[in-house]
Amino acid sequence: MNNRFPKWGTVFFMALRTGHLDEIERKIYSRNILIPEVGEAGQVKLLDSRVLVIGLGGLGSPALYYLAASGIGKIGIADHDRVDLSNLQRQILHGHRDVGRQKTQSAAESIARLRTDIRLDIHPFKITSENARDIIAGYDFVVEATDSFESKFLVNDACVELRKPYSHAGVLGTFGQTMTVVPGEGPCFRCVFGEAPAGGVVESTAEAGVLGCVAGVLGSLQAAEAVKYLLGCGRLLVGRLLTFDALAMTFREIQLPPAGRCGICGPQ
Ligand SMILES: [Zn+2]
């Protein structure tokens, strides 16, 4: 079972597409195609799109499932971690039998149950300042679904430098937040949150916990932002931070300051 996917590299489940929908694709994506903002042309766009999901945990699980189900043609999955028992309450890509396995492996198998025609790029290592730009450069949109401030700033800086749009989200306890960064069109994560706090200053999910379904809500919103960006429709969360409070069951929108307030996307 563990040998079904290569540890690293690209998995083709089917031959490359030809640029138009075949009969089976029309059936699979019929409920997408009925939406005026998608249509057949939009579905072809999604099938020709490349999205990178960084982090295959509580946020990455729903984001990856919905991106794959929506018909994104090529998805990169990046995570260096292995599945732990304490992950299963929210990281729905992975099951009990996956404990101890690489998250990229169990995620690839979960997605293979959903799609036979997807192209998956497997990055089973930590995203660092050395490799981030090389990896991110190959995608149209990035879903930042990491769980540390260090990774969030790293992904932000690489995306802004490469002018790659991406979705940020974070969850803790019964709260969540998300914003979309389109370099040149709005503020980046660093414009809003400044510098990464010193270790131990901010609580992590390992200390404060997180309700699994809260991560499910935020990860699904990230997938929606990716799909909207790729289709070129709707209003993205650019310049707006959306917060979610599951106890009060309220969403709040916070208007963000303009871009250019940090050392990454500023004039320097
Ligand atoms: Zn900035």
Side-chain angles (χ1 to χ4, degrees):
M1 176 174 185
N2 291 16
N3 295 328
R4 189 168 163 199
F5 297 98
K7 296 273 184 227
W8 181 16
T10 302
V11 184
F12 288 92
F13 291 118
M14 225 173 75
L16 282 173
R17 301 186 54 262
T18 53
H20 58 84
L21 300 182
D22 61 30
E23 209 174 309
I24 293 171
E25 288 170 334
R26 266 190 205 106
K27 181 79 180 168
I28 292 174
Y29 302 113
S30 59
R31 301 307 190 265
N32 281 357
I33 294 166
L34 284 168
I35 300 167
E37 287 77 10
V38 184
E40 202 162 313
Q43 191 60 50
V44 170
K45 255 190 218 171
L46 294 179
L47 285 160
D48 286 338
S49 295
R50 309 162 299 169
V51 176
L52 174 65
V53 179
I54 305 177
L56 301 172
L59 293 164
S61 288
L64 176 57
Y65 263 128
Y66 280 118
L67 288 168
S70 74
I72 305 297
K74 173 179 154 177
I75 302 184
I77 53 176
D79 201 311
H80 66 287
D81 219 352
R82 290 179 181 272
V83 180
D84 183 82
L85 267 178
S86 66
N87 299 154
L88 305 184
Q89 148 271 19
R90 65 194 181 284
Q91 302 186 11
I92 55 173
L93 279 167
H94 321 293
H96 212 113
R97 282 186 298 184
D98 298 316
V99 170
R101 300 179 66 210
Q102 279 183 324
K103 288 187 180 179
T104 44
Q105 293 284 298
S106 61
E109 287 178 11
S110 295
I111 297 308
R113 280 195 289 276
L114 191 64
R115 287 270 300 277
T116 56
D117 63 332
I118 196 166
R119 187 179 156 189
L120 283 180
D121 281 354
I122 297 173
H123 307 289
F125 39 77
K126 197 171 169 62
I127 300 289
T128 66
S129 52
E130 280 75 44
N131 63 22
R133 284 153 191 79
D134 284 345
I135 295 170
I136 289 169
Y139 298 92
D140 305 312
F141 193 94
V142 176
V143 172
E144 180 272 290
T146 69
D147 60 358
S148 79
F149 267 99
E150 186 195 356
S151 301
K152 289 180 185 302
F153 280 102
L154 198 151
V155 171
N156 177 77
D157 296 354
C159 284
V160 172
E161 280 175 27
L162 293 168
R163 302 188 75 76
K164 290 284 177 192
Y166 85 94
S167 165
H168 148 78
V171 285
L172 197 67
T174 55
F175 296 94
Q177 68 176 37
T178 180
M179 67 183 275
T180 299
V181 176
V182 178
E185 291 185 22
C188 77
F189 185 77
R190 196 177 280 282
C191 288
V192 180
F193 295 99
E195 298 294 319
V201 173
V202 176
E203 280 187 311
S204 69
T205 55
E207 294 154 348
V210 59
L211 205 58
C213 50
V214 171
V217 170
L218 273 297
S220 301
L221 293 176
Q222 290 189 281
E225 287 289 278
V227 167
K228 280 161 55 188
Y229 175 84
L230 296 167
L231 292 172
C233 71
R235 186 175 161 235
L236 294 168
L237 277 173
V238 173
R240 306 183 281 152
L241 180 76
L242 189 69
T243 64
F244 175 56
D245 176 344
L247 293 183
M249 200 47 83
T250 50
F251 284 95
R252 260 184 74 209
E253 188 181 309
I254 299 166
Q255 294 299 316
L256 299 175
R261 291 160 55 99
C262 78
I264 298 295
C265 70
Q268 307 309 317

